[in-house]
Amino acid sequence: MEKHHIESILKDLDIQSVNYGATTGTTWGRIHTLGKELVSYSPVTGQPIAGVVQAQAHDYEAVVSKAGAAFEKYRMMPAPRRGEIVREIGNALREKKQRLGALISLETGKIRAEGEGEVQEMIDIADFAVGLSRQLYGLTMHSERPFHRMYEQWHPLGIVGIITAFNFPAAVWSWNALVAAVCGDVVVFKPSSKTPLTAIAIQNIIAPVVDKYDIDGVFNLVIGNRAVVGDTLLQDRRIPLVSATGSTAMGKKVATTVAARLGRSLLELGGNNAIIVTEDCDMNMALRATLFGAVGTAGQRCTSTRRIIIHNSIKDRFVQQLVNAYGQIRIGDPMDPYTLMGPLIDDTAKQVMMQAIEAARDQGATIVYGGTALTVEGLENGSYVTPAIVEAENHYPIVQEETFAPILYIIGYDTFDQALALHNDVPQGLSSAVFTSSMKYQEQFLSHRGSDCGIANVNIGTSGAEIGGAFGGEKETGGGRESGSDAWRIYMRRQTNTINWGDDLPLAQGIVFDIKGEEK
Ligand code: NAD
């Protein structure tokens, strides 16, 4: 990866070598005292890309105060007008799709196709949010009282805190920020400390739209450490909703801290996703879906396929073909268009993967393929590994955990009931799939006694979801839903309105309560 190439990506996205960690709309927090520098390292090369000066407590305060003031004005803008703003943000992202995609690849290590795919997801959600801006519907109800009308309406909520994980540094912002923006909310974005530059690039890309519509303070960014920014945001009563994407451990902290002040949290946490492969399936399709699900993004998607639960009669054949396919995967520089698997995010992630392989072995598993550190020529400091195929039992403690790396556990079964029981027997509940030609298996998988996940697919892998559906999962995945369908509701507050247009004052439930009458 040439240095001048990196510099040209940064220049195009208006990122200087040291940026400032707090910004509201277009204004960097330059007036404030500079905090400690945070360096963003590329997992591709292991070398620093650029440094960001982190926000201090008073920067955070300035940003949230400004967001609060902006909300007062922004919430009065009609929702379709807010949709126009989001449409222009979508167009700005279209123009910078390649550049932003390249930065995402550089900062996260995901391959170019996936980096650009992430920007496409932002564009798609912008389009979705534009339509939504004219569809923030409430219901009307029939009042039980004569001459009364009852209906509900949805009002903007206020400041929405957005905490994101490193692996989707841009798309998750858009799922939240663009839907919240048409709902009339303002956002304070706290990105992962591993991907601050992508967050800065997003602010830069949308800055001309922010200026044009004079909405400084609606889209805010604060880059800072956990004590100064993360914990403060969770405890901040001015922030009615915290949307947090990351590990289950982080989600538990967010849930309890936000609940302690009776705030709302929207949690998108870890998965332990499985594909059930039945004896009658199209094996070729199942293999391709497994390959993308387990190896794509180097196994660092919340929806990555971590377990294959496969009928014992076809297990050995499937594993053999999978091993052949794994052997052909080109691992290396994600900026190279022929690469299918880039590095892990950092050396810690590599160590965690190696420890998981050791633990699997200790617990009785067989390592069928890979699971080793890899040195890529010319990129010796990058965090590269070979993806692993491991034959294991579902109850092994390591299989029950989400290891954020390309480890695929193969688990055999004899009956479909047994497969379903194994499938659901993990603490997480995000994405799931069955590959089958049987209508009975398919329907059983989708029934009340089938998959317990938020996402359940038939003849489609676990990884990668369309923005039109509500995205999220159950159990330790946190229960949140964002992106499509009616996920917008969490960004608004519901108000029930009853209007009496008569001359009397009847009470609900027929209660009579006046001086002469009797109370029922
Ligand atoms: P992480 O939990 O280490 O960090 C996620 C974010 O939370 C970061 O911004 C981090 O700074 C912040 N954070 C961590 N502890 C915090 C605290 N105590 N207070 C406030 N903020 C805190 O996760 P990661 O390593 O960045 O991402 C990988 C994890 O994210 C995996 O578990 C993956 O499954 C999950 N994930 C889930 C989804 C989903 O939609 N369900 C999507 C992407 C990633």
Side-chain angles (χ1 to χ4, degrees):
M1 167 107 275
E2 303 290 331
K3 194 165 184 295
H4 71 265
H5 184 47
I6 296 177
E7 279 167 3
S8 109
I9 295 173
L10 297 182
K11 191 163 168 277
D12 267 16
L13 294 167
D14 203 15
I15 296 178
Q16 295 130 27
S17 63
V18 172
N19 259 293
Y20 293 80
T23 167
T24 60
T26 57
T27 324
W28 298 110
R30 287 170 207 262
I31 44 167
H32 308 300
T33 324
L34 303 184
K36 205 167 156 251
E37 191 178 345
L38 168 73
V39 177
S40 176
Y41 288 87
S42 172
V44 183
T45 59
Q47 302 300 321
I49 315 171
V52 176
V53 177
Q54 298 187 91
Q56 297 298 290
H58 51 274
D59 297 315
Y60 173 87
E61 190 48 42
V63 168
V64 175
S65 301
K66 187 159 185 175
F71 175 64
E72 297 296 318
K73 195 171 137 199
Y74 185 64
R75 66 177 164 182
M76 298 314 293
M77 185 186 282
R81 175 88 172 149
R82 300 193 293 248
E84 271 175 46
I85 295 174
V86 170
R87 181 160 48 78
E88 293 204 25
I89 288 176
N91 288 341
L93 289 165
R94 276 184 177 89
E95 273 175 36
K96 293 286 183 186
K97 180 175 168 182
Q98 285 189 333
R99 273 320 199 200
L100 183 58
L103 178 63
I104 292 170
S105 294
L106 192 63
E107 212 175 19
T108 65
K110 61 175 73 172
I111 59 172
R112 282 300 299 273
E114 291 188 55
E116 286 184 21
E118 182 161 351
V119 185
Q120 185 58 47
E121 203 168 330
M122 302 172 85
I123 295 165
D124 292 344
I125 198 82
D127 286 351
F128 178 86
V130 175
L132 194 59
S133 70
R134 291 182 183 267
Q135 299 176 77
L136 302 169
Y137 301 136
L139 298 172
T140 53
M141 301 87 183
H142 285 264
S143 171
E144 65 188 43
R145 288 171 277 182
F147 304 103
H148 279 57
R149 182 164 72 82
M150 187 155 73
Y151 75 112
E152 68 183 17
Q153 54 178 340
W154 294 83
H155 293 305
L157 200 59
I159 307 175
V160 176
I162 304 175
I163 298 175
T164 58
F166 78 82
N167 66 329
F168 276 94
V172 172
W173 170 83
S174 66
W175 289 0
N176 287 283
L178 300 184
V179 173
V182 297
C183 291
D185 297 328
V186 302
V187 301
V188 174
F189 177 24
K190 192 218 84 69
S192 163
S193 303
K194 294 173 189 170
T195 51
L197 303 180
T198 301
I200 291 171
I202 294 169
Q203 292 292 110
N204 289 348
I205 290 169
I206 70 172
V209 185
V210 169
D211 285 348
K212 178 177 166 187
Y213 287 91
D214 191 20
I215 52 160
D216 208 17
V218 170
F219 296 100
N220 306 286
L221 169 67
V222 183
I223 296 168
N225 70 27
R226 193 163 299 173
V228 173
V229 172
D231 290 343
T232 316
L233 192 148
L234 301 186
Q235 287 162 15
D236 195 332
R237 288 179 180 279
R238 294 167 295 181
I239 302 185
L241 170 66
V242 177
S243 170
T245 302
S247 57
T248 294
M250 176 280 284
K252 285 180 179 168
K253 168 86 193 300
V254 173
T256 48
T257 312
V258 176
R261 62 174 170 90
L262 298 184
R264 258 186 224 180
S265 48
L266 194 179
L267 301 174
E268 296 287 354
L269 312 175
N272 194 348
N273 318 295
I275 301 179
I276 298 181
V277 183
T278 68
E279 63 278 22
D280 59 359
C281 76
D282 180 328
M283 179 124 40
N284 188 35
M285 272 172 60
L287 279 162
R288 282 168 52 203
T290 304
L291 203 60
F292 177 66
V295 174
T297 331
Q300 298 172 113
R301 283 191 186 216
C302 51
T303 53
S304 288
T305 308
R306 311 220 172 271
R307 297 176 296 144
I308 292 290
I309 300 169
I310 185 161
H311 195 269
N312 276 322
S313 65
I314 56 167
K315 190 175 90 175
D316 289 350
R317 191 153 56 94
F318 184 88
V319 170
Q320 195 187 10
Q321 292 189 24
L322 202 59
V323 167
N324 285 344
Y326 268 50
Q328 292 167 42
I329 290 164
R330 194 157 152 175
I331 305 167
D333 183 352
M335 312 302 268
D336 176 341
Y338 295 105
T339 299
L340 283 186
M341 186 179 130
L344 293 179
I345 186 68
D346 54 22
D347 267 357
T348 308
K350 192 157 103 178
Q351 281 164 25
V352 167
M353 176 172 171
M354 296 309 136
Q355 284 160 7
I357 295 285
E358 267 323 295
R361 207 178 263 124
D362 290 349
Q363 288 165 26
T366 308
I367 317 302
V368 182
Y369 183 91
T372 54
L374 183 71
T375 305
V376 174
E377 205 186 320
L379 300 171
E380 284 77 7
N381 293 321
S383 310
Y384 296 89
V385 295
T386 56
I389 301 172
V390 179
E391 285 206 34
E393 303 271 345
N394 197 63
H395 66 266
Y396 293 169
I398 195 67
V399 180
Q400 295 279 312
E401 277 175 32
E402 178 198 51
T403 303
F404 217 52
I407 304 176
L408 182 68
Y409 297 109
I410 310 284
I411 299 150
Y413 76 84
D414 291 316
T415 67
F416 195 71
D417 281 345
Q418 194 189 0
L420 273 179
L422 289 166
H423 177 276
N424 292 343
D425 187 20
V426 287
Q428 312 80 357
L430 181 52
S431 186
S432 61
V434 65
F435 272 79
T436 186
S437 299
S438 156
M439 187 264 275
K440 283 193 173 176
Y441 289 155
Q442 164 189 318
E443 293 301 319
Q444 199 176 337
F445 183 71
L446 300 177
S447 75
H448 303 321
R449 54 186 281 264
S451 164
D452 62 0
C453 292
I455 297 166
N457 297 330
V458 176
N459 294 332
I460 295 173
T462 61
S463 180
E466 296 179 26
I467 59 104
F471 181 91
E474 304 300 333
K475 303 194 288 185
E476 287 196 356
T477 303
R481 293 295 185 278
E482 51 190 41
S483 186
S485 186
D486 62 353
W488 59 271
R489 289 168 183 239
I490 191 150
Y491 303 96
M492 303 198 84
R493 63 185 169 86
R494 185 197 310 242
Q495 188 177 66
T496 303
N497 305 115
T498 314
I499 300 154
N500 177 2
W501 55 281
D503 301 321
D504 204 357
L505 193 64
L507 299 178
Q509 291 85 47
I511 292 173
V512 175
F513 192 77
D514 60 30
I515 308 285
K516 285 179 278 166
E518 289 173 7
E519 194 178 342
K520 266 195 188 169

